[in-house]
Amino acid sequence: IKLIRPETLGGTGLERQMLRSRFEREAQATALLRSPHTIELYDFGVTEDGSFYYVMELLDGFDLQVLIDRFGPIPVERAVFLLTQVCDSLAEAHAEGLIHRDIKPANVYACRYGLEVDFVKVLDFGLVKSQNEAMGGASTQLTKNQTIGGTPSFMSPEQVVGDRALDGRSDIY
């Protein structure tokens, strides 16, 4: 369960309402994805105290950042195996016109899934952006304008500079 308490958001009532709407659209975007390599979202909403929540599948494993920090560099064959699964998840998102915008080792989880090991799940579609929005459409806005979306050390050049529309290639970078 991921929980975001309203006091951590700051802002006015109107700003919080906008954040709530954005949160709901982001959760809906994630819930639409069906790739076995995308984290499954079971439920989402707002509690009586105004906290945002969503309920995701429980995974048994490590995100790639922890995996590398704990066990060191991984062999090239294993890296290719893991990244191919990341690409499967992103291919579906891109086909739906969604750009993740925060692909990094901490958002890729290698887990035991049934009898399989090194089964990848792509996490945290919280910064997802509709490609229609990235191309200039406002009706599908999923993230706040005038903010940097992503982790700077993992951003593509066009995402950092902001001088052109983003598409799925930004995630692959």
Side-chain angles (χ1 to χ4, degrees):
I1 298 174
K2 187 171 187 175
L3 187 66
I4 304 168
R5 299 200 183 278
E7 60 271 11
T8 64
L9 300 174
T12 66
L14 180 59
E15 290 169 327
R16 284 187 183 179
Q17 179 59 38
M18 288 174 53
L19 286 170
R20 177 182 172 176
S21 296
R22 195 173 94 224
F23 170 81
E24 289 173 5
R25 287 191 302 267
E26 291 165 353
Q28 288 169 351
T30 303
L32 291 174
L33 300 175
R34 293 286 173 244
S35 168
H37 297 292
T38 301
I39 188 75
E40 191 167 349
L41 183 68
Y42 298 126
D43 192 19
F44 61 91
V46 179
T47 64
E48 289 179 15
D49 73 352
S51 296
F52 305 130
Y53 71 89
Y54 50 93
V55 181
M56 301 169 287
E57 66 184 308
L58 180 62
L59 302 175
D60 177 20
F62 303 101
D63 70 55
L64 294 188
Q65 187 65 58
V66 169
L67 185 77
I68 292 165
D69 289 348
R70 199 173 284 177
F71 302 106
I74 60 176
V76 121
E77 298 81 12
R78 186 178 186 195
V80 168
F81 179 70
L82 296 170
L83 290 173
T84 299
Q85 296 174 75
V86 172
C87 288
D88 286 346
S89 172
L90 292 176
E92 181 194 20
H94 297 162
E96 294 295 324
L98 301 173
I99 308 163
H100 187 287
R101 299 191 312 152
D102 200 23
I103 295 297
K104 61 184 178 183
N107 284 338
V108 176
Y109 210 84
C111 61
R112 178 181 305 275
Y113 200 71
L115 297 176
E116 295 185 51
V117 293
D118 273 354
F119 192 90
V120 164
K121 290 287 190 166
V122 176
L123 311 176
D124 201 2
F125 279 78
L127 293 176
V128 71
K129 186 177 192 100
S130 165
Q131 195 165 352
N132 295 330
E133 174 193 353
M135 302 274 191
S139 63
T140 56
Q141 178 125 354
L142 296 176
T143 54
K144 194 174 181 180
N145 283 329
Q146 309 299 323
T147 61
I148 294 176
T151 304
S153 58
F154 293 97
M155 290 174 140
S156 64
E158 64 271 18
Q159 193 173 351
V160 171
V161 175
D163 63 346
R164 59 183 151 185
L166 298 179
D167 60 30
R169 294 174 293 182
S170 184
D171 284 344
I172 301 302
Y173 176 83

